[in-house]
Amino acid sequence: MSNLRTFSFGKLPTLSSVYWSSERLKQSWKWSDRSMVSVMQRFIDLNQKNLSYLGICAIIETINGKPTLKLSTSKYIGAIPILSPMNGKAVGDLVVSGRFGENAGELITMLDSSIKPEYSDEFRLVQDSQMTPPIFIECCKYIDTYIEAEHFMWQKFSNITRKEQRPEGLTLWSEYAQRVARNPLDFSTFKNKKNILSTDHHEWAQLNYVLQIAISELEMPRVPIRTRATYSFRIAQLKMKLRDRTVLATPVIKIRMSDPLIIKRLKGLANIILNNKTNEKLAWRMDYAEFFERYVQYLMAEVAKKKGAREIDNPHYGVSVKSRPQWLLHYLEPDMVLQKHDEQVVVDSKYKSHMFNWNDESDDLKDTFRHDFHQILAYCSLNSMPVKYGMLVYPFSDFICHKTKVNSPITHTEATVYLVGIPIEKKRIREVEEGLCSIINFVEEE
């Protein structure tokens, strides 16, 4: 059977459906039996848990009289391993990326702590991923190996100075002479240097330092709950032991040829943690609508700096009612508000294809846009300014802006809503920021 790495799964787009024909699958899996339906069903059954992690729905449909595997993606981008229906082994990876072909990986690191991919310690990818997982898997290995190494009772000679009542070959005579000269009554105490075997030596103290780092990492909220629960008892025990142990900070731990095998393994893991680099290939996912929202907030924050405006991310507009039904919202929440003096611009991002379908007259597009438009107008209505500004931001291949105005003949107020399309590319951020700055113009106070 051919390895599925040679079969191009491709990058499935989010919020879309992709069809894999029986001919394509049969050629990839080298399946000679005509009954591809059973093979497809086995593929679905084996990969159900993996596919569910990315919110992918897999079903078998008949198209032109032939069975076809339909994969419908959700809001998540990410990567999962794929199990072969022939032998049940992980033989390739399935990747879901942005709907419009953008590269999110180059932007995630730029957004830093505002959004982080979620990793699973249940699934290991076959191939390298653009997303390097956090170091927590290596920390789990380190804790397990540390506990195993403790039982080994690794001893080394430590050079110590001990006060004794008689001199020896390595007595510190210079120190003795100076001390007795100052206090003749102290003539009967000698400081002798000794080499003793001990488990509390400086190399173990360095390993204790790495243990502290590993424990801190595993207590982070980004670590999967399953992992934190598994290691909670071990961590509690080790933290108690560390109270009475020497800890010595170090940037690197030297691995010696004479070290026992278990110690070499422990030191190797320690250096991985100290370098904060891992070779683990974990399945990952990220809510792409949330990613687009954070990307827009990042751009708007840069614009706010240039305009001298204040940015408020995700402000909550509370909804009060005496008797609250279950379906009533507790608050309204635009993505961002830019404010300077008495002017506001309300910003809401939508990861939808409206700008790519500008001339489309479908009812679905009309309905979803009507919802977006009403929503931004509702946000704008909650300020007292006679001229209100809002912005709906959608993904697009280029920077584009369409200005709309809504006038009320009753209150004589006006709302200006900009429909903005932006490319999701790191190299075009400056272009997008300049375009946004040209739209947002606050009136300067005299």
Side-chain angles (χ1 to χ4, degrees), residues 116-128:
K116 292 286 187 183
E118 176 187 344
Y119 294 89
S120 171
D121 54 352
E122 288 188 78
F123 311 117
R124 298 293 199 279
L125 300 179
V126 175
Q127 301 170 346
D128 290 331

Side-chain angles (χ1 to χ4, degrees), residues 401-433:
C401 177
H402 300 278
K403 184 177 181 180
T404 68
K405 285 192 175 184
V406 181
N407 295 287
S408 169
I410 300 173
T411 61
H412 304 290
T413 57
E414 176 184 281
T416 299
V417 178
Y418 298 98
L419 309 181
V420 179
I422 61 170
I424 311 175
E425 294 182 67
K426 188 175 182 179
K427 64 182 180 181
R428 302 183 69 179
I429 284 179
R430 185 173 180 181
E431 169 196 341
V432 175
E433 289 177 358

Side-chain angles (χ1 to χ4, degrees), residues 307 340-343 389 440-446:
K307 294 290 183 177
K340 186 174 182 181
H341 308 314
D342 293 330
E343 291 185 279
Y389 295 95
I440 300 173
N441 290 299
F442 294 103
V443 177
E444 297 294 337
E445 288 189 339
E446 297 183 359

Side-chain angles (χ1 to χ4, degrees), residues 141-350:
K141 295 179 189 176
Y142 185 83
I143 284 179
D144 292 337
T145 309
Y146 182 96
I147 293 172
E148 185 181 350
E150 273 189 317
H151 300 313
F152 186 77
M153 298 294 289
W154 182 41
Q155 293 184 324
K156 287 182 71 72
F157 279 104
S158 294
N159 188 271
I160 64 170
T161 301
R162 181 179 294 173
K163 286 185 177 181
E164 295 180 319
Q165 300 302 313
R166 64 181 65 184
E168 293 190 359
L170 293 176
T171 300
L172 300 178
W173 289 112
S174 297
E175 184 277 337
Y176 175 82
Q178 294 176 9
R179 178 163 42 84
V180 172
R182 292 193 300 269
N183 183 11
L185 297 178
D186 200 16
F187 71 94
S188 61
T189 301
F190 302 87
K191 290 187 177 180
N192 300 323
K193 293 188 71 175
K194 290 181 173 289
N195 288 322
I196 63 168
L197 275 174
S198 171
T199 56
D200 188 23
H201 48 82
H202 78 282
E203 289 193 45
W204 193 257
Q206 291 176 338
L207 294 170
N208 289 337
Y209 170 70
V210 180
L211 179 62
Q212 283 186 336
I213 297 175
I215 290 173
S216 297
E217 180 64 31
L218 287 176
E219 291 179 329
M220 293 290 184
R222 63 174 173 263
V223 175
I225 295 175
R226 190 173 74 109
T227 299
R228 277 186 281 164
T230 301
Y231 280 84
S232 60
F233 180 70
R234 274 169 274 189
I235 286 174
Q237 285 187 314
L238 290 171
K239 287 173 78 172
M240 291 182 65
K241 291 179 180 179
L242 278 175
R243 295 175 185 173
D244 302 320
R245 292 183 179 176
T246 306
V247 176
L248 181 62
T250 180
V252 65
I253 295 180
K254 187 175 181 180
I255 302 176
R256 308 174 191 278
M257 291 294 295
S258 59
D259 288 337
L261 183 59
I262 182 65
I263 301 302
K264 287 180 180 177
R265 282 173 45 204
L266 186 61
K267 287 183 174 182
L269 289 168
N271 285 327
I272 290 174
I273 294 172
L274 289 171
N275 292 326
N276 198 29
K277 291 182 179 180
T278 176
N279 294 322
E280 287 289 341
K281 303 170 186 176
L282 300 185
W284 64 275
R285 69 181 181 184
M286 184 174 63
D287 185 325
Y288 205 61
E290 184 181 356
F291 162 77
F292 184 63
E293 176 185 325
R294 296 291 179 266
Y295 176 57
V296 171
Q297 286 177 337
Y298 171 85
L299 295 171
M300 289 298 176
E302 296 300 308
V303 172
K305 292 176 186 176
K306 294 176 181 178
K307 294 290 183 177
R310 184 167 68 100
E311 62 188 83
I312 305 102
D313 290 341
N314 304 107
H316 286 189
Y317 300 158
V319 178
S320 301
V321 63
K322 288 185 178 180
S323 177
R324 181 181 296 277
Q326 292 295 320
W327 43 262
L328 185 67
L329 295 172
H330 288 267
Y331 55 84
L332 299 175
E333 183 185 353
D335 292 343
M336 175 178 272
V337 172
L338 301 186
Q339 182 161 348
K340 186 174 182 181
H341 308 314
D342 293 330
E343 291 185 279
Q344 276 189 2
V345 179
V346 183
V347 181
D348 215 31
S349 60
K350 303 294 181 182

Side-chain angles (χ1 to χ4, degrees), residues 1-120:
M1 191 201 84
S2 100
N3 192 314
L4 275 186
R5 283 195 231 184
T6 62
F7 172 38
S8 175
F9 287 107
K11 290 186 177 181
L12 305 187
T14 58
L15 303 170
S16 304
S17 293
V18 176
Y19 296 86
W20 290 351
S21 67
S22 56
E23 288 82 2
R24 181 184 181 188
L25 296 175
K26 186 181 292 186
Q27 182 181 6
S28 168
W29 293 328
K30 302 299 181 184
W31 187 251
S32 58
D33 196 318
R34 292 183 180 179
S35 179
M36 279 300 293
V37 174
S38 61
V39 180
M40 290 179 178
Q41 189 59 54
R42 178 166 168 76
F43 173 88
I44 293 173
D45 294 341
L46 281 173
N47 291 282
Q48 186 61 52
K49 191 173 183 179
N50 305 39
L51 295 171
S52 296
Y53 180 71
L54 287 184
I56 298 174
C57 176
I59 60 173
I60 301 171
E61 291 188 353
T62 301
I63 299 178
N64 298 325
K66 295 182 178 180
T68 302
L69 187 62
K70 178 184 177 182
L71 298 174
S72 299
T73 56
S74 66
K75 63 181 180 178
Y76 290 114
I77 64 169
I80 53 171
I82 288 296
L83 307 180
S84 166
M86 301 297 105
N87 55 22
K89 295 181 180 179
V91 286
D93 299 329
L94 181 63
V95 178
V96 178
S97 59
R99 189 177 178 184
F100 309 110
E102 61 272 17
N103 182 5
E106 64 179 8
L107 293 169
I108 290 174
T109 53
M110 182 191 70
L111 299 180
D112 196 28
S113 59
S114 62
I115 187 168
K116 292 286 187 183
E118 176 187 344
Y119 294 89
S120 171

